[in-house]
């Protein structure tokens, strides 16, 4: 049906957490293709329904190894993005091939649906514009055993000449603090990713937790620990990546 055809384009362009990254200093490669949607042309519940209808197709692409993961987030608090779709892979080549495979699979499902002409008011008219990013994972945690229902993403604008230093600060100073919060069950995962393709945001920090209140409390604890003491690394990180935008997400799929 047409809603699937429209979603085929959207998902192929398609925050996600970095929960599939190993909890170690040098995580396995992870590439993330994310699409951030501006919506308002119809009920957002409908685009969630469309995504749910295509979930078995996406799950099948994970099962056969075409992609390593995918997800769908709904806006809770933050800026103008209302929905977020993503898929992940272990290499840039697999990520791009995965985009093509997603589009082909969803297009085939749409072509097989007899009600295609009845679904013109679909995904593309409700979520009429999007921003695309490809992120490369730098470091992050493995997911613990708790269910992740809430996500927090911070999109940083950084000094390009000092981005490597920002990565060093996260690896050496922030990672132990955030890993401890995962081990204690206050977070379910966290990640730090670097811009590969897309707009002005250069770094992405993600956290997930069982619910938003728990997530905000853990985030506050992390900020206090990172900025504590006389090392000055928290202030140094702020000087490198001073401007940012925060989003809170409901993790739908």
């Amino acid at each position: 049906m047409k809603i699937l055809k429209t979603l085929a384009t959207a998902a192929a362009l398609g925050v996600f957490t970095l929960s599939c990254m190993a909890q170690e200093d040098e995580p396995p490669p992870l590439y993330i293709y994310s699409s951030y949607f501006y919506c308002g042309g119809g009920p957002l519940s409908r685009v969630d329904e469309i995504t749910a209808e295509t979930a078995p197709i996406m799950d099948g692409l994970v099962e056969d190894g075409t992609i390593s993961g995918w997800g769908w987030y709904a806006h809770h608090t933050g800026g103008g993005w209302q929905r977020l779709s993503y898929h992940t892979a272990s290499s840039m080549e697999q990520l791009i091939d995965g985009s093509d495979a997603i589009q082909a699979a969803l297009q085939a499902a749409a072509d097989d649906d007899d009600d295609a002409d009845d679904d013109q008011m679909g995904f593309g008219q409700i979520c009429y514009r999007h921003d695309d990013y490809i992120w490369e994972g730098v470091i992050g945690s493995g997911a613990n055993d708790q269910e992740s229902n809430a996500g927090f993403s911070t999109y940083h604008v950084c000094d390009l000449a000092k981005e490597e230093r920002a990565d060093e600060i996260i690896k050496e100073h922030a990672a132990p603090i955030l890993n401890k919060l995962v081990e204690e069950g206050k977070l379910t995962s966290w990640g730090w990713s670097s811009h590969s393709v897309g707009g002005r945001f250069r770094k992405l920090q993600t956290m997930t937790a069982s619910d938003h209140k728990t997530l905000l409390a853990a985030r506050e604890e992390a900020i206090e620990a990172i900025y504590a003491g006389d090392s000055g690394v928290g202030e140094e990180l702020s000087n490198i990546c001073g401007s940012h935008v925060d989003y809170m997400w409901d993790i739908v799929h």
Side-chain angles (χ1 to χ4, degrees), residues 86-121:
Y86 73 90
H87 70 274
T88 61
S90 60
S91 69
M92 182 68 78
E93 181 180 23
Q94 185 189 21
L95 191 74
I96 301 304
D97 288 344
S99 294
D100 294 339
I102 290 168
Q103 185 170 12
L106 295 177
Q107 184 69 58
D111 290 342
D112 289 340
D113 194 291
D114 294 334
D115 297 324
D117 292 336
D118 297 330
D119 295 312
Q120 295 293 337
M121 295 294 292

PDB file of all heavy atoms in Angstrom, residues 86-121:
ATOM      1  N   TYR A  86      15.856   4.899  12.649  1.00  0.00           N
ATOM      2  CA  TYR A  86      17.272   4.619  12.412  1.00  0.00           C
ATOM      3  C   TYR A  86      17.461   3.143  12.094  1.00  0.00           C
ATOM      4  O   TYR A  86      16.630   2.297  12.435  1.00  0.00           O
ATOM      5  CB  TYR A  86      18.123   4.997  13.627  1.00  0.00           C
ATOM      6  CG  TYR A  86      17.988   4.053  14.803  1.00  0.00           C
ATOM      7  CD1 TYR A  86      18.814   2.937  14.947  1.00  0.00           C
ATOM      8  CD2 TYR A  86      17.025   4.275  15.782  1.00  0.00           C
ATOM      9  CE1 TYR A  86      18.682   2.080  16.026  1.00  0.00           C
ATOM     10  CE2 TYR A  86      16.881   3.425  16.859  1.00  0.00           C
ATOM     11  CZ  TYR A  86      17.723   2.325  16.984  1.00  0.00           C
ATOM     12  OH  TYR A  86      17.576   1.470  18.048  1.00  0.00           O
ATOM     13  N   HIS A  87      18.565   2.857  11.403  1.00  0.00           N
ATOM     14  CA  HIS A  87      19.047   1.482  11.306  1.00  0.00           C
ATOM     15  C   HIS A  87      20.552   1.500  11.466  1.00  0.00           C
ATOM     16  O   HIS A  87      21.203   2.530  11.247  1.00  0.00           O
ATOM     17  CB  HIS A  87      18.602   0.784  10.010  1.00  0.00           C
ATOM     18  CG  HIS A  87      19.260   1.298   8.767  1.00  0.00           C
ATOM     19  ND1 HIS A  87      18.778   2.389   8.074  1.00  0.00           N
ATOM     20  CD2 HIS A  87      20.345   0.866   8.073  1.00  0.00           C
ATOM     21  CE1 HIS A  87      19.541   2.605   7.005  1.00  0.00           C
ATOM     22  NE2 HIS A  87      20.506   1.699   6.986  1.00  0.00           N
ATOM     23  N   THR A  88      21.115   0.369  11.875  1.00  0.00           N
ATOM     24  CA  THR A  88      22.533   0.294  12.193  1.00  0.00           C
ATOM     25  C   THR A  88      23.205  -0.825  11.405  1.00  0.00           C
ATOM     26  O   THR A  88      22.560  -1.762  10.918  1.00  0.00           O
ATOM     27  CB  THR A  88      22.748   0.038  13.694  1.00  0.00           C
ATOM     28  OG1 THR A  88      22.137  -1.212  14.063  1.00  0.00           O
ATOM     29  CG2 THR A  88      22.149   1.151  14.531  1.00  0.00           C
ATOM     30  N   ALA A  89      24.532  -0.704  11.291  1.00  0.00           N
ATOM     31  CA  ALA A  89      25.342  -1.715  10.606  1.00  0.00           C
ATOM     32  C   ALA A  89      26.761  -1.633  11.136  1.00  0.00           C
ATOM     33  O   ALA A  89      27.143  -0.668  11.808  1.00  0.00           O
ATOM     34  CB  ALA A  89      25.313  -1.506   9.099  1.00  0.00           C
ATOM     35  N   SER A  90      27.566  -2.632  10.795  1.00  0.00           N
ATOM     36  CA  SER A  90      28.943  -2.692  11.287  1.00  0.00           C
ATOM     37  C   SER A  90      29.938  -2.031  10.347  1.00  0.00           C
ATOM     38  O   SER A  90      31.128  -1.967  10.658  1.00  0.00           O
ATOM     39  CB  SER A  90      29.347  -4.156  11.522  1.00  0.00           C
ATOM     40  OG  SER A  90      29.254  -4.899  10.323  1.00  0.00           O
ATOM     41  N   SER A  91      29.480  -1.552   9.204  1.00  0.00           N
ATOM     42  CA  SER A  91      30.350  -0.849   8.273  1.00  0.00           C
ATOM     43  C   SER A  91      29.516   0.145   7.479  1.00  0.00           C
ATOM     44  O   SER A  91      28.288   0.010   7.379  1.00  0.00           O
ATOM     45  CB  SER A  91      31.049  -1.822   7.308  1.00  0.00           C
ATOM     46  OG  SER A  91      30.113  -2.386   6.407  1.00  0.00           O
ATOM     47  N   MET A  92      30.187   1.138   6.907  1.00  0.00           N
ATOM     48  CA  MET A  92      29.480   2.107   6.088  1.00  0.00           C
ATOM     49  C   MET A  92      28.868   1.427   4.862  1.00  0.00           C
ATOM     50  O   MET A  92      27.740   1.749   4.460  1.00  0.00           O
ATOM     51  CB  MET A  92      30.431   3.222   5.653  1.00  0.00           C
ATOM     52  CG  MET A  92      29.765   4.316   4.828  1.00  0.00           C
ATOM     53  SD  MET A  92      28.577   5.312   5.776  1.00  0.00           S
ATOM     54  CE  MET A  92      29.736   6.382   6.657  1.00  0.00           C
ATOM     55  N   GLU A  93      29.602   0.492   4.275  1.00  0.00           N
ATOM     56  CA  GLU A  93      29.095  -0.218   3.096  1.00  0.00           C
ATOM     57  C   GLU A  93      27.821  -0.983   3.442  1.00  0.00           C
ATOM     58  O   GLU A  93      26.825  -0.931   2.703  1.00  0.00           O
ATOM     59  CB  GLU A  93      30.151  -1.174   2.546  1.00  0.00           C
ATOM     60  CG  GLU A  93      29.710  -1.933   1.313  1.00  0.00           C
ATOM     61  CD  GLU A  93      30.786  -2.874   0.800  1.00  0.00           C
ATOM     62  OE1 GLU A  93      31.662  -3.271   1.604  1.00  0.00           O
ATOM     63  OE2 GLU A  93      30.749  -3.213  -0.399  1.00  0.00           O
ATOM     64  N   GLN A  94      27.823  -1.703   4.561  1.00  0.00           N
ATOM     65  CA  GLN A  94      26.632  -2.453   4.967  1.00  0.00           C
ATOM     66  C   GLN A  94      25.485  -1.506   5.289  1.00  0.00           C
ATOM     67  O   GLN A  94      24.324  -1.815   5.016  1.00  0.00           O
ATOM     68  CB  GLN A  94      26.941  -3.331   6.179  1.00  0.00           C
ATOM     69  CG  GLN A  94      25.767  -4.231   6.575  1.00  0.00           C
ATOM     70  CD  GLN A  94      25.971  -4.939   7.898  1.00  0.00           C
ATOM     71  OE1 GLN A  94      26.782  -4.501   8.730  1.00  0.00           O
ATOM     72  NE2 GLN A  94      25.242  -6.013   8.121  1.00  0.00           N
ATOM     73  N   LEU A  95      25.809  -0.344   5.856  1.00  0.00           N
ATOM     74  CA  LEU A  95      24.768   0.623   6.197  1.00  0.00           C
ATOM     75  C   LEU A  95      24.039   1.103   4.944  1.00  0.00           C
ATOM     76  O   LEU A  95      22.807   1.157   4.906  1.00  0.00           O
ATOM     77  CB  LEU A  95      25.387   1.810   6.930  1.00  0.00           C
ATOM     78  CG  LEU A  95      24.406   2.784   7.576  1.00  0.00           C
ATOM     79  CD1 LEU A  95      23.796   2.175   8.832  1.00  0.00           C
ATOM     80  CD2 LEU A  95      25.108   4.102   7.911  1.00  0.00           C
ATOM     81  N   ILE A  96      24.804   1.458   3.904  1.00  0.00           N
ATOM     82  CA  ILE A  96      24.197   1.948   2.666  1.00  0.00           C
ATOM     83  C   ILE A  96      23.467   0.821   1.946  1.00  0.00           C
ATOM     84  O   ILE A  96      22.351   1.006   1.439  1.00  0.00           O
ATOM     85  CB  ILE A  96      25.266   2.570   1.760  1.00  0.00           C
ATOM     86  CG1 ILE A  96      25.954   3.736   2.481  1.00  0.00           C
ATOM     87  CG2 ILE A  96      24.643   3.043   0.451  1.00  0.00           C
ATOM     88  CD1 ILE A  96      25.029   4.805   2.977  1.00  0.00           C
ATOM     89  N   ASP A  97      24.071  -0.365   1.905  1.00  0.00           N
ATOM     90  CA  ASP A  97      23.380  -1.513   1.315  1.00  0.00           C
ATOM     91  C   ASP A  97      22.095  -1.812   2.079  1.00  0.00           C
ATOM     92  O   ASP A  97      21.071  -2.190   1.480  1.00  0.00           O
ATOM     93  CB  ASP A  97      24.288  -2.747   1.329  1.00  0.00           C
ATOM     94  CG  ASP A  97      25.418  -2.659   0.313  1.00  0.00           C
ATOM     95  OD1 ASP A  97      25.337  -1.802  -0.593  1.00  0.00           O
ATOM     96  OD2 ASP A  97      26.379  -3.439   0.439  1.00  0.00           O
ATOM     97  N   GLY A  98      22.140  -1.633   3.390  1.00  0.00           N
ATOM     98  CA  GLY A  98      20.950  -1.851   4.201  1.00  0.00           C
ATOM     99  C   GLY A  98      19.836  -0.884   3.853  1.00  0.00           C
ATOM    100  O   GLY A  98      18.661  -1.257   3.827  1.00  0.00           O
ATOM    101  N   SER A  99      20.192   0.370   3.565  1.00  0.00           N
ATOM    102  CA  SER A  99      19.184   1.345   3.154  1.00  0.00           C
ATOM    103  C   SER A  99      18.473   0.891   1.887  1.00  0.00           C
ATOM    104  O   SER A  99      17.242   0.962   1.779  1.00  0.00           O
ATOM    105  CB  SER A  99      19.847   2.710   2.911  1.00  0.00           C
ATOM    106  OG  SER A  99      20.358   3.237   4.106  1.00  0.00           O
ATOM    107  N   ASP A 100      19.265   0.414   0.920  1.00  0.00           N
ATOM    108  CA  ASP A 100      18.677  -0.067  -0.334  1.00  0.00           C
ATOM    109  C   ASP A 100      17.786  -1.279  -0.084  1.00  0.00           C
ATOM    110  O   ASP A 100      16.699  -1.406  -0.671  1.00  0.00           O
ATOM    111  CB  ASP A 100      19.788  -0.426  -1.321  1.00  0.00           C
ATOM    112  CG  ASP A 100      20.592   0.791  -1.765  1.00  0.00           C
ATOM    113  OD1 ASP A 100      20.076   1.919  -1.655  1.00  0.00           O
ATOM    114  OD2 ASP A 100      21.740   0.599  -2.214  1.00  0.00           O
ATOM    115  N   ALA A 101      18.234  -2.177   0.780  1.00  0.00           N
ATOM    116  CA  ALA A 101      17.461  -3.390   1.063  1.00  0.00           C
ATOM    117  C   ALA A 101      16.157  -3.056   1.780  1.00  0.00           C
ATOM    118  O   ALA A 101      15.113  -3.667   1.509  1.00  0.00           O
ATOM    119  CB  ALA A 101      18.301  -4.355   1.908  1.00  0.00           C
ATOM    120  N   ILE A 102      16.206  -2.085   2.703  1.00  0.00           N
ATOM    121  CA  ILE A 102      14.986  -1.668   3.398  1.00  0.00           C
ATOM    122  C   ILE A 102      13.979  -1.109   2.405  1.00  0.00           C
ATOM    123  O   ILE A 102      12.797  -1.479   2.409  1.00  0.00           O
ATOM    124  CB  ILE A 102      15.317  -0.619   4.473  1.00  0.00           C
ATOM    125  CG1 ILE A 102      16.095  -1.257   5.623  1.00  0.00           C
ATOM    126  CG2 ILE A 102      14.041   0.033   5.009  1.00  0.00           C
ATOM    127  CD1 ILE A 102      16.716  -0.255   6.579  1.00  0.00           C
ATOM    128  N   GLN A 103      14.432  -0.240   1.528  1.00  0.00           N
ATOM    129  CA  GLN A 103      13.533   0.366   0.557  1.00  0.00           C
ATOM    130  C   GLN A 103      12.932  -0.703  -0.351  1.00  0.00           C
ATOM    131  O   GLN A 103      11.726  -0.677  -0.637  1.00  0.00           O
ATOM    132  CB  GLN A 103      14.276   1.410  -0.275  1.00  0.00           C
ATOM    133  CG  GLN A 103      13.359   2.173  -1.224  1.00  0.00           C
ATOM    134  CD  GLN A 103      14.058   3.361  -1.851  1.00  0.00           C
ATOM    135  OE1 GLN A 103      15.270   3.509  -1.756  1.00  0.00           O
ATOM    136  NE2 GLN A 103      13.290   4.216  -2.498  1.00  0.00           N
ATOM    137  N   ALA A 104      13.763  -1.633  -0.807  1.00  0.00           N
ATOM    138  CA  ALA A 104      13.266  -2.685  -1.705  1.00  0.00           C
ATOM    139  C   ALA A 104      12.245  -3.567  -0.998  1.00  0.00           C
ATOM    140  O   ALA A 104      11.212  -3.930  -1.580  1.00  0.00           O
ATOM    141  CB  ALA A 104      14.437  -3.520  -2.216  1.00  0.00           C
ATOM    142  N   ALA A 105      12.516  -3.934   0.256  1.00  0.00           N
ATOM    143  CA  ALA A 105      11.604  -4.812   0.997  1.00  0.00           C
ATOM    144  C   ALA A 105      10.273  -4.139   1.268  1.00  0.00           C
ATOM    145  O   ALA A 105       9.198  -4.751   1.120  1.00  0.00           O
ATOM    146  CB  ALA A 105      12.261  -5.244   2.308  1.00  0.00           C
ATOM    147  N   LEU A 106      10.303  -2.870   1.653  1.00  0.00           N
ATOM    148  CA  LEU A 106       9.062  -2.159   1.929  1.00  0.00           C
ATOM    149  C   LEU A 106       8.294  -1.867   0.643  1.00  0.00           C
ATOM    150  O   LEU A 106       7.063  -1.894   0.622  1.00  0.00           O
ATOM    151  CB  LEU A 106       9.352  -0.873   2.683  1.00  0.00           C
ATOM    152  CG  LEU A 106       9.935  -1.046   4.091  1.00  0.00           C
ATOM    153  CD1 LEU A 106      10.259   0.309   4.703  1.00  0.00           C
ATOM    154  CD2 LEU A 106       9.008  -1.834   5.003  1.00  0.00           C
ATOM    155  N   GLN A 107       9.023  -1.600  -0.440  1.00  0.00           N
ATOM    156  CA  GLN A 107       8.370  -1.373  -1.727  1.00  0.00           C
ATOM    157  C   GLN A 107       7.659  -2.644  -2.206  1.00  0.00           C
ATOM    158  O   GLN A 107       6.524  -2.588  -2.699  1.00  0.00           O
ATOM    159  CB  GLN A 107       9.393  -0.948  -2.769  1.00  0.00           C
ATOM    160  CG  GLN A 107       8.802  -0.603  -4.129  1.00  0.00           C
ATOM    161  CD  GLN A 107       7.981   0.666  -4.085  1.00  0.00           C
ATOM    162  OE1 GLN A 107       8.497   1.718  -3.706  1.00  0.00           O
ATOM    163  NE2 GLN A 107       6.715   0.586  -4.434  1.00  0.00           N
ATOM    164  N   ALA A 108       8.318  -3.794  -2.031  1.00  0.00           N
ATOM    165  CA  ALA A 108       7.705  -5.060  -2.432  1.00  0.00           C
ATOM    166  C   ALA A 108       6.443  -5.329  -1.625  1.00  0.00           C
ATOM    167  O   ALA A 108       5.427  -5.791  -2.170  1.00  0.00           O
ATOM    168  CB  ALA A 108       8.709  -6.197  -2.242  1.00  0.00           C
ATOM    169  N   ALA A 109       6.495  -5.021  -0.324  1.00  0.00           N
ATOM    170  CA  ALA A 109       5.303  -5.212   0.511  1.00  0.00           C
ATOM    171  C   ALA A 109       4.182  -4.284   0.070  1.00  0.00           C
ATOM    172  O   ALA A 109       3.007  -4.676   0.046  1.00  0.00           O
ATOM    173  CB  ALA A 109       5.651  -4.971   1.975  1.00  0.00           C
ATOM    174  N   ALA A 110       4.531  -3.050  -0.307  1.00  0.00           N
ATOM    175  CA  ALA A 110       3.517  -2.102  -0.770  1.00  0.00           C
ATOM    176  C   ALA A 110       2.900  -2.549  -2.085  1.00  0.00           C
ATOM    177  O   ALA A 110       1.690  -2.445  -2.288  1.00  0.00           O
ATOM    178  CB  ALA A 110       4.141  -0.713  -0.920  1.00  0.00           C
ATOM    179  N   ASP A 111       3.718  -3.061  -2.997  1.00  0.00           N
ATOM    180  CA  ASP A 111       3.219  -3.500  -4.297  1.00  0.00           C
ATOM    181  C   ASP A 111       2.263  -4.675  -4.179  1.00  0.00           C
ATOM    182  O   ASP A 111       1.389  -4.870  -5.035  1.00  0.00           O
ATOM    183  CB  ASP A 111       4.390  -3.886  -5.203  1.00  0.00           C
ATOM    184  CG  ASP A 111       5.213  -2.670  -5.627  1.00  0.00           C
ATOM    185  OD1 ASP A 111       4.701  -1.547  -5.504  1.00  0.00           O
ATOM    186  OD2 ASP A 111       6.369  -2.867  -6.050  1.00  0.00           O
ATOM    187  N   ASP A 112       2.420  -5.460  -3.126  1.00  0.00           N
ATOM    188  CA  ASP A 112       1.565  -6.634  -2.937  1.00  0.00           C
ATOM    189  C   ASP A 112       0.245  -6.314  -2.247  1.00  0.00           C
ATOM    190  O   ASP A 112      -0.592  -7.189  -2.083  1.00  0.00           O
ATOM    191  CB  ASP A 112       2.307  -7.692  -2.105  1.00  0.00           C
ATOM    192  CG  ASP A 112       3.437  -8.341  -2.890  1.00  0.00           C
ATOM    193  OD1 ASP A 112       3.400  -8.272  -4.140  1.00  0.00           O
ATOM    194  OD2 ASP A 112       4.357  -8.896  -2.258  1.00  0.00           O
ATOM    195  N   ASP A 113       0.062  -5.056  -1.856  1.00  0.00           N
ATOM    196  CA  ASP A 113      -1.138  -4.684  -1.121  1.00  0.00           C
ATOM    197  C   ASP A 113      -2.195  -4.146  -2.091  1.00  0.00           C
ATOM    198  O   ASP A 113      -1.929  -3.222  -2.864  1.00  0.00           O
ATOM    199  CB  ASP A 113      -0.798  -3.628  -0.071  1.00  0.00           C
ATOM    200  CG  ASP A 113      -1.920  -3.464   0.940  1.00  0.00           C
ATOM    201  OD1 ASP A 113      -2.989  -2.959   0.547  1.00  0.00           O
ATOM    202  OD2 ASP A 113      -1.721  -3.831   2.105  1.00  0.00           O
ATOM    203  N   ASP A 114      -3.391  -4.686  -2.030  1.00  0.00           N
ATOM    204  CA  ASP A 114      -4.468  -4.289  -2.945  1.00  0.00           C
ATOM    205  C   ASP A 114      -5.072  -2.932  -2.612  1.00  0.00           C
ATOM    206  O   ASP A 114      -5.810  -2.371  -3.423  1.00  0.00           O
ATOM    207  CB  ASP A 114      -5.582  -5.348  -2.928  1.00  0.00           C
ATOM    208  CG  ASP A 114      -5.113  -6.677  -3.499  1.00  0.00           C
ATOM    209  OD1 ASP A 114      -4.173  -6.649  -4.331  1.00  0.00           O
ATOM    210  OD2 ASP A 114      -5.670  -7.712  -3.106  1.00  0.00           O
ATOM    211  N   ASP A 115      -4.793  -2.412  -1.415  1.00  0.00           N
ATOM    212  CA  ASP A 115      -5.418  -1.162  -0.991  1.00  0.00           C
ATOM    213  C   ASP A 115      -4.503   0.044  -1.169  1.00  0.00           C
ATOM    214  O   ASP A 115      -4.675   1.069  -0.524  1.00  0.00           O
ATOM    215  CB  ASP A 115      -5.821  -1.253   0.494  1.00  0.00           C
ATOM    216  CG  ASP A 115      -6.858  -2.340   0.725  1.00  0.00           C
ATOM    217  OD1 ASP A 115      -7.708  -2.517  -0.162  1.00  0.00           O
ATOM    218  OD2 ASP A 115      -6.804  -2.988   1.781  1.00  0.00           O
ATOM    219  N   ALA A 116      -3.526  -0.071  -2.075  1.00  0.00           N
ATOM    220  CA  ALA A 116      -2.530   0.986  -2.214  1.00  0.00           C
ATOM    221  C   ALA A 116      -3.156   2.338  -2.509  1.00  0.00           C
ATOM    222  O   ALA A 116      -2.751   3.363  -1.959  1.00  0.00           O
ATOM    223  CB  ALA A 116      -1.539   0.618  -3.317  1.00  0.00           C
ATOM    224  N   ASP A 117      -4.173   2.388  -3.371  1.00  0.00           N
ATOM    225  CA  ASP A 117      -4.757   3.658  -3.772  1.00  0.00           C
ATOM    226  C   ASP A 117      -5.569   4.311  -2.661  1.00  0.00           C
ATOM    227  O   ASP A 117      -5.918   5.486  -2.753  1.00  0.00           O
ATOM    228  CB  ASP A 117      -5.655   3.457  -4.997  1.00  0.00           C
ATOM    229  CG  ASP A 117      -4.852   3.095  -6.228  1.00  0.00           C
ATOM    230  OD1 ASP A 117      -3.654   3.438  -6.266  1.00  0.00           O
ATOM    231  OD2 ASP A 117      -5.424   2.481  -7.141  1.00  0.00           O
ATOM    232  N   ASP A 118      -5.874   3.555  -1.620  1.00  0.00           N
ATOM    233  CA  ASP A 118      -6.668   4.102  -0.523  1.00  0.00           C
ATOM    234  C   ASP A 118      -5.804   4.745   0.562  1.00  0.00           C
ATOM    235  O   ASP A 118      -6.336   5.259   1.545  1.00  0.00           O
ATOM    236  CB  ASP A 118      -7.513   2.987   0.125  1.00  0.00           C
ATOM    237  CG  ASP A 118      -8.515   2.397  -0.855  1.00  0.00           C
ATOM    238  OD1 ASP A 118      -8.957   3.154  -1.741  1.00  0.00           O
ATOM    239  OD2 ASP A 118      -8.829   1.201  -0.742  1.00  0.00           O
ATOM    240  N   ASP A 119      -4.505   4.715   0.378  1.00  0.00           N
ATOM    241  CA  ASP A 119      -3.606   5.151   1.441  1.00  0.00           C
ATOM    242  C   ASP A 119      -2.731   6.341   1.049  1.00  0.00           C
ATOM    243  O   ASP A 119      -1.587   6.454   1.466  1.00  0.00           O
ATOM    244  CB  ASP A 119      -2.711   3.988   1.879  1.00  0.00           C
ATOM    245  CG  ASP A 119      -3.521   2.873   2.500  1.00  0.00           C
ATOM    246  OD1 ASP A 119      -4.349   3.156   3.367  1.00  0.00           O
ATOM    247  OD2 ASP A 119      -3.329   1.722   2.099  1.00  0.00           O
ATOM    248  N   GLN A 120      -3.277   7.240   0.227  1.00  0.00           N
ATOM    249  CA  GLN A 120      -2.524   8.408  -0.193  1.00  0.00           C
ATOM    250  C   GLN A 120      -2.167   9.302   0.996  1.00  0.00           C
ATOM    251  O   GLN A 120      -1.106   9.945   1.003  1.00  0.00           O
ATOM    252  CB  GLN A 120      -3.339   9.203  -1.226  1.00  0.00           C
ATOM    253  CG  GLN A 120      -3.577   8.470  -2.547  1.00  0.00           C
ATOM    254  CD  GLN A 120      -2.298   8.277  -3.327  1.00  0.00           C
ATOM    255  OE1 GLN A 120      -1.339   9.004  -3.129  1.00  0.00           O
ATOM    256  NE2 GLN A 120      -2.277   7.297  -4.198  1.00  0.00           N
ATOM    257  N   MET A 121      -3.084   9.366   1.953  1.00  0.00           N
ATOM    258  CA  MET A 121      -2.803  10.158   3.144  1.00  0.00           C
ATOM    259  C   MET A 121      -1.947   9.329   4.086  1.00  0.00           C
ATOM    260  O   MET A 121      -2.393   8.854   5.118  1.00  0.00           O
ATOM    261  CB  MET A 121      -4.117  10.571   3.823  1.00  0.00           C
ATOM    262  CG  MET A 121      -4.978  11.492   2.995  1.00  0.00           C
ATOM    263  SD  MET A 121      -4.191  13.110   2.731  1.00  0.00           S
ATOM    264  CE  MET A 121      -4.241  13.755   4.396  1.00  0.00           C
TER     265      MET A 121
END
